[in-house]
Amino acid sequence: LIRTCAKRALLFNRTNIAYKPASVAAAQLQSNIHTSAIRSDIDSAAKYIGAGAATVGVAGAGAGIGTVFGSLVIGYARNPGLNQQLFSYAILGFALSEAM
């Protein structure tokens, strides 16, 4: 019984495909290719999410630079005589935090 139903379903599908005019098949193909407005909205949302994820590194670099120069000010306040050496360390810290 299952084999008979499966054969009939297969024959039914074959007959439907065989008798389709070429214009109907082409119209169905074109309707499948077409992109909806919802798809476009999802694509633009994904672009914004990707741009936001890419800018997270900028926030980390900003925090690192703030920490370096904050420590420079504290170091100046504690020992003003070492200002040249502290400044060179601060520039090194700035460069390393920007590179990361």
Side-chain angles (χ1 to χ4, degrees):
L1 180 65
I2 294 173
R3 288 183 186 170
T4 307
C5 292
K7 286 180 185 178
R8 285 185 186 171
L10 185 61
L11 288 175
F12 179 74
N13 287 336
R14 284 184 186 166
T15 57
N16 283 345
I17 292 172
Y19 291 111
K20 281 186 185 176
S23 61
V24 173
Q28 285 181 349
L29 180 64
Q30 286 179 348
S31 67
N32 290 339
I33 294 173
H34 147 266
T35 305
S36 66
I38 295 172
R39 176 73 178 178
S40 176
D41 290 343
I42 291 172
D43 289 345
S44 64
K47 288 178 187 176
Y48 287 125
I49 290 170
T55 58
V56 170
V58 175
I65 293 168
T67 302
V68 165
F69 285 106
S71 298
L72 175 66
V73 170
I74 292 171
Y76 277 168
R78 289 186 179 192
N79 194 352
L82 292 176
N83 61 359
Q84 188 63 31
Q85 188 177 5
L86 289 174
F87 186 74
S88 64
Y89 288 154
I91 295 298
L92 180 64
F94 168 76
L96 290 175
S97 65
E98 274 292 315
M100 296 295 168

